[in-house]
Amino acid sequence: MSLINKLSIRLQNHPKRVAFPEGADPRIIQAARQFATRGLGVPILLGDRSRIKINAARLDIRLDGIRIIEPARSDEMEQFSTKFQGLRRFKGLNDKQTREFLENTSYFATMMLATAACDAIVSGATVSASSALRPLFRIIPTQEGVQTASSMLILEKEDSRLGVDGALFCSDCGVIPEPTAEQLSDIAVTTAGLAHHLTNQTPKVAMLSFSSKKDKSSNASISRVKAATSMARDKIREFDMPADIDGELQVDAALDSFVAEQKGIGGSVAGKANVLIFPDLNSGNIASKLAQLVAGCRSYGQIITGLSKPAAEISRGASAHDIFGTAVIVAAQAVDRSYLFPVMESK
């Protein structure tokens, strides 16, 4: 069973509210309908109400069980304006300036998330990544003990030998171009934490490089991965997280036990990795898109990691299926792991 189907079954017992800032987009409407029909919670479509209804009618999609909010006419506008002006980044704005921000559906949705008026956000269907991410990074704080917000893409293939029953958790594929060793360590820890939350399996984290640790190299990028690996291990111990971290590893040695054996690389991660941490955005973005286009992997995300609230920034090329799967993931992220995986089940 796919990760999305597993999480959907669990979400039916813990339904959540997911806000979509680009609510009039046909793919969003289709994904929202599926989310509501499967009893996973309440999708919230933000945007022009009449346009949303017209597009839904064209698709012959019912809107029952789906909430529609037009920010400019929302009863929550006044309350959000007061809270928005109280944020450190927006102090000094007058009422008109504040309203201009909040009439932008991405900012309005982020304020919904910040004030618990929704449980998660899926944005980016029709806007650039920077436009979708900016409100989140300006309003939602990072997790305690974490300095870096980044992104995770879940790649899934019908091969139970790969990752966790075919699911691989890959970071960072969308936010930080050239992470420092400290940022890489944060990326590794937050991705491992989310992988554990969603699967209840021990994350086996491979810090990727073009060279495996048995190879001798003084390259600066490899030195950075080595330092990040050491820092991530320290943080895992500090946070008392269940995870195994190893690096630096080539991706074939991380995923294929035969290759790892041939290269003389042992340990609990080599050949068994389910979390892949890329050394930079170039490698992460290129590898993930190759996996989708050449290998036919399904993809969900980008899921924003390191923030204190669940959010995702999807590609403008995402399908309705991709969007639905991403909504399921951030909704499940909003459920306490002890409810997703009760103690008796875990034993």
Side-chain angles (χ1 to χ4, degrees), residues 3 13 61 63 66 73 78 82 162 193 207 227 283 292 337:
L3 177 65
N13 296 321
I61 290 177
L63 291 173
I66 298 174
R73 301 180 181 180
E78 184 176 348
T82 302
L162 189 69
M207 308 293 287
S283 56
Q292 295 171 59
R337 193 174 61 83

Short mmCIF file of all heavy atoms in Angstrom, two decimals, residues 3 13 61 63 66 73 78 82 162 193 207 227 283 292 337:
data_model
loop_
_atom_site.label_atom_id
_atom_site.label_comp_id
_atom_site.label_asym_id
_atom_site.label_seq_id
_atom_site.Cartn_x
_atom_site.Cartn_y
_atom_site.Cartn_z
N LEU A 3 2.27 5.12 0.58
CA LEU A 3 2.32 5.98 1.76
C LEU A 3 1.08 6.85 1.85
O LEU A 3 0.51 7.04 2.94
CB LEU A 3 3.58 6.85 1.71
CG LEU A 3 3.74 7.87 2.84
CD1 LEU A 3 3.91 7.18 4.19
CD2 LEU A 3 4.93 8.79 2.56
N ASN A 13 -9.53 9.14 10.87
CA ASN A 13 -9.81 9.19 12.31
C ASN A 13 -9.36 10.50 12.95
O ASN A 13 -9.70 10.77 14.11
CB ASN A 13 -9.12 8.02 13.02
CG ASN A 13 -9.65 6.68 12.60
OD1 ASN A 13 -10.85 6.52 12.39
ND2 ASN A 13 -8.77 5.71 12.44
N ILE A 61 -17.82 19.46 -10.42
CA ILE A 61 -17.36 19.09 -9.08
C ILE A 61 -18.24 19.77 -8.04
O ILE A 61 -18.46 20.98 -8.09
CB ILE A 61 -15.89 19.50 -8.87
CG1 ILE A 61 -14.98 18.61 -9.73
CG2 ILE A 61 -15.48 19.40 -7.40
CD1 ILE A 61 -13.51 18.97 -9.65
N LEU A 63 -19.16 21.22 -4.33
CA LEU A 63 -18.37 21.97 -3.34
C LEU A 63 -18.85 21.73 -1.92
O LEU A 63 -18.40 22.41 -1.00
CB LEU A 63 -18.41 23.47 -3.68
CG LEU A 63 -17.67 23.89 -4.96
CD1 LEU A 63 -17.91 25.35 -5.27
CD2 LEU A 63 -16.17 23.61 -4.84
N ILE A 66 -16.54 21.58 1.38
CA ILE A 66 -15.37 22.42 1.07
C ILE A 66 -15.70 23.86 1.49
O ILE A 66 -16.76 24.37 1.12
CB ILE A 66 -15.03 22.38 -0.43
CG1 ILE A 66 -14.64 20.95 -0.84
CG2 ILE A 66 -13.90 23.35 -0.76
CD1 ILE A 66 -14.42 20.78 -2.33
N ARG A 73 -13.45 39.87 1.96
CA ARG A 73 -14.79 39.89 2.56
C ARG A 73 -14.89 39.02 3.80
O ARG A 73 -15.97 38.82 4.34
CB ARG A 73 -15.82 39.41 1.52
CG ARG A 73 -15.86 40.26 0.27
CD ARG A 73 -16.90 39.74 -0.71
NE ARG A 73 -16.95 40.54 -1.93
CZ ARG A 73 -17.76 40.30 -2.95
NH1 ARG A 73 -18.60 39.27 -2.88
NH2 ARG A 73 -17.75 41.06 -4.01
N GLU A 78 -10.40 41.64 10.19
CA GLU A 78 -10.07 42.60 11.25
C GLU A 78 -9.18 41.97 12.30
O GLU A 78 -8.17 42.57 12.74
CB GLU A 78 -11.37 43.13 11.89
CG GLU A 78 -11.12 44.21 12.94
CD GLU A 78 -12.42 44.78 13.49
OE1 GLU A 78 -13.49 44.51 12.92
OE2 GLU A 78 -12.34 45.49 14.52
N THR A 82 -5.03 42.99 13.13
CA THR A 82 -4.46 43.35 14.44
C THR A 82 -3.26 42.47 14.76
O THR A 82 -2.21 42.96 15.19
CB THR A 82 -5.53 43.22 15.54
OG1 THR A 82 -6.63 44.06 15.22
CG2 THR A 82 -4.95 43.61 16.89
N LEU A 162 12.99 -0.36 -1.75
CA LEU A 162 13.51 1.02 -1.77
C LEU A 162 12.94 1.82 -0.61
O LEU A 162 11.72 1.88 -0.43
CB LEU A 162 13.12 1.67 -3.09
CG LEU A 162 13.74 3.03 -3.43
CD1 LEU A 162 15.23 2.87 -3.70
CD2 LEU A 162 13.05 3.64 -4.63
N GLY A 193 13.23 13.68 11.30
CA GLY A 193 12.11 13.77 12.23
C GLY A 193 10.77 13.63 11.54
O GLY A 193 9.86 12.94 12.04
N MET A 207 24.01 11.09 4.12
CA MET A 207 24.52 12.39 3.73
C MET A 207 25.29 12.18 2.42
O MET A 207 26.37 11.60 2.41
CB MET A 207 25.43 12.96 4.81
CG MET A 207 24.81 12.97 6.22
SD MET A 207 23.42 14.10 6.38
CE MET A 207 24.26 15.69 6.39
N ALA A 227 31.55 17.36 8.00
CA ALA A 227 31.25 18.18 9.19
C ALA A 227 29.77 18.14 9.50
O ALA A 227 29.37 18.05 10.68
CB ALA A 227 31.72 19.61 8.94
N SER A 283 22.17 19.49 -6.93
CA SER A 283 22.10 18.03 -6.96
C SER A 283 20.72 17.53 -6.56
O SER A 283 20.18 16.61 -7.17
CB SER A 283 23.18 17.42 -6.06
OG SER A 283 23.06 17.91 -4.73
N GLN A 292 11.65 11.58 -11.29
CA GLN A 292 10.25 11.70 -11.71
C GLN A 292 10.08 11.43 -13.20
O GLN A 292 9.20 10.68 -13.61
CB GLN A 292 9.74 13.10 -11.39
CG GLN A 292 9.67 13.43 -9.90
CD GLN A 292 9.38 14.89 -9.66
OE1 GLN A 292 8.37 15.41 -10.09
NE2 GLN A 292 10.29 15.58 -8.99
N ARG A 337 2.09 12.29 16.35
CA ARG A 337 2.51 10.96 15.92
C ARG A 337 1.93 9.86 16.81
O ARG A 337 1.65 8.75 16.35
CB ARG A 337 4.04 10.84 15.90
CG ARG A 337 4.55 9.59 15.17
CD ARG A 337 6.05 9.60 15.03
NE ARG A 337 6.69 9.60 16.33
CZ ARG A 337 6.90 8.51 17.06
NH1 ARG A 337 6.54 7.32 16.61
NH2 ARG A 337 7.49 8.58 18.23
#
